[in-house]
Amino acid sequence: MLSLVLFAAAAPEFLEPETLDMEAPEVRDREGDPVVGGADTAASRWPGVAAVFLGREVGCTGTLIAPRVVLTAAHCAADITGVALGASDLGGLRAEYRALRVVSHPRWARTYDVALVILDRDATEEPAVIAQDCVTEEAVQAGAPVDIVGYGAVDKWGNQYLGQLQAGRTSIIDPECTALERGCAEEVSPGGELSAGGGGVDACFGDSGGPIYVQRQGRRYLAGVTSRAFDDARLPCSEGGIYVRADAVIDWIEAEAGIDLPAPVCTEAAQEEEPALTTLNYEVGLCGIRDGSAGLLFLGLGAGLATRRRRMLA
C-alpha cells in the first residue's frame, strides 16, 4: 500500500511559469498482473481527462469542463500546480497548463469532495458536458453502465502503476448514495453522490478526481467525480466506491468560476444529429479504493494521500 500523509484542502503555493517545466513522474514497469477491471486506452477517446500535477508529479486525475476549468477532487487540492490534457502515457509528461487558482467546495470532507482548477489559458481539448436533466433521468440509474477513467494503480492492492491512462466499464450501484453505513456523506444524501463499481472493476490510487461517464443516445456525459472507497471495503482497490455527482455541484461551479455550463440536448431530433460514440468493451478494469479507517482514505498517485474516511484516487 502507498505511504499516506494527512492532506488538507488549502490554496497551493504555485510555481512560477518558468519552473513548470516539470520532471516526469516516476512510472512503474509493465511487469506483473494485468489491469484490474480496465485496460490501457487512447487519450483521444477521453479528450477532456486531465493529469493533475501535485507539485512536480502527477498525483490525481481530473476532467476539463470549460476551456479554463478542470474539475477534480478537493482532497487533491492543496498541492495542485498544473495539469496536462490528452495524455495516454505519463512517461516524460509535463504540465501544459498552470493552475492560477484552486477552489475547494466548502466543508468538502463532509459534503462534496470536489475542487476547481482555474487554468492560465484556454485548453484546446473539448470540455465534457455534465449529465443532468434527461441524461440523469435515463442514464444515472441503478445498474446503468458507466466508464471510469484515470491514471491510477491497476491492482487490487494499489501498488502497481503502468503509467498509462486506464478505462474500465462497470455499473452504478446506488445513484443517490443512500447507504450511510457504507460511507455516503450524510449531509448530501440522497442525491449528492452515487456509488459504482466492484467485482474487480474500480478506481484506485491516482484516479482521485477523475471522471465517471454515462452515455445517452451515442453521447458521453460526465456523471461523477472519483472520491473514495466504501467504508467496509476489505481491499485497497477493486470493491467499488463513491463518486460526487457532477450535477449536484453545477450551481457552485458556475458561481465560483463565473461561467455558464452547457446542458445536454434532450430533444430526440437534436440527439440524432450527433455522431454516435464507439462502445468500449473491457475484459479487465481499474482498481478500487478503500477506506476502512476512522477517516476518508483518498488515493494519490505520486504520493499516497489520506484524510478521514474517504479514499483518494489519484
Side-chain angles (χ1 to χ4, degrees):
M1 178 182 295
L2 296 178
S3 59
L4 302 174
V5 284
L6 276 179
F7 182 84
E13 189 173 311
F14 296 112
L15 300 177
E16 292 301 320
E18 61 269 20
T19 67
L20 271 183
D21 188 20
M22 297 178 178
E23 300 174 0
E26 180 180 353
V27 176
R28 309 224 177 168
D29 63 36
R30 292 180 169 275
E31 298 178 359
D33 297 333
V35 176
V36 179
D40 290 358
T41 184
S44 59
R45 292 186 182 272
W46 319 97
V49 178
V52 178
F53 280 76
L54 307 184
R56 296 181 178 275
E57 295 184 345
V58 174
C60 286
T61 305
T63 309
L64 186 72
I65 57 170
R68 290 197 183 191
V69 183
V70 167
L71 180 63
T72 188
H75 65 260
C76 298
D79 292 334
I80 294 175
T81 52
V83 307
L85 295 165
S88 295
D89 193 332
L90 294 183
L93 186 65
R94 302 173 186 272
E96 304 171 272
Y97 303 93
R98 182 189 180 200
L100 290 182
R101 185 164 64 102
V102 179
V103 185
S104 296
H105 196 282
R107 301 179 65 249
W108 61 266
R110 293 181 178 275
T111 58
Y112 301 106
D113 178 23
V114 293
L116 301 177
V117 184
I118 310 301
L119 307 180
D120 61 340
R121 67 186 189 281
D122 286 357
T124 57
E125 286 75 6
E126 181 180 359
V129 175
I130 291 177
Q132 55 180 308
D133 303 329
C134 58
V135 178
T136 53
E137 292 172 5
E138 298 177 20
V140 184
Q141 301 294 331
V146 291
D147 293 305
I148 305 171
V149 186
Y151 294 97
V154 298
D155 66 308
K156 63 185 179 181
W157 297 108
N159 290 325
Q160 184 183 10
Y161 296 90
L162 302 182
Q164 293 284 330
L165 183 63
Q166 302 284 307
R169 175 154 292 180
T170 184
S171 59
I172 293 174
I173 299 170
D174 180 358
E176 302 287 326
C177 207
T178 57
L180 303 184
E181 72 280 3
R182 301 200 72 188
C184 294
E186 183 174 6
E187 292 189 26
V188 298
S189 178
E193 300 173 311
L194 64 84
S195 61
V201 183
D202 198 3
C204 197
F205 301 103
D207 296 321
S208 279
I212 183 168
Y213 293 108
V214 295
Q215 287 192 29
R216 178 184 184 267
Q217 295 191 356
R219 287 184 61 82
R220 184 182 298 124
Y221 298 93
L222 177 65
V225 178
T226 301
S227 178
R228 61 194 183 275
F230 288 123
D231 284 356
D232 58 0
R234 297 164 296 175
L235 294 168
C237 306
S238 77
E239 297 183 42
I242 297 170
Y243 301 77
V244 175
R245 282 185 54 151
D247 62 325
V249 293
I250 289 176
D251 290 346
W252 174 77
I253 293 170
E254 292 182 332
E256 288 294 338
I259 58 175
D260 292 322
L261 294 171
V265 178
C266 288
T267 62
E268 299 303 320
Q271 286 290 336
E272 290 174 0
E273 295 175 0
E274 298 293 343
L277 296 172
T278 301
T279 299
L280 303 179
N281 296 311
Y282 306 97
E283 296 179 357
V284 285
L286 296 175
C287 105
I289 333 165
R290 158 193 184 259
D291 161 25
S293 60
L296 307 174
L297 174 58
F298 298 100
L299 317 178
L301 175 79
L305 314 173
T307 97
R308 308 295 201 122
R309 298 179 302 174
R310 305 193 181 210
R311 97 186 157 194
M312 165 176 164
L313 311 177

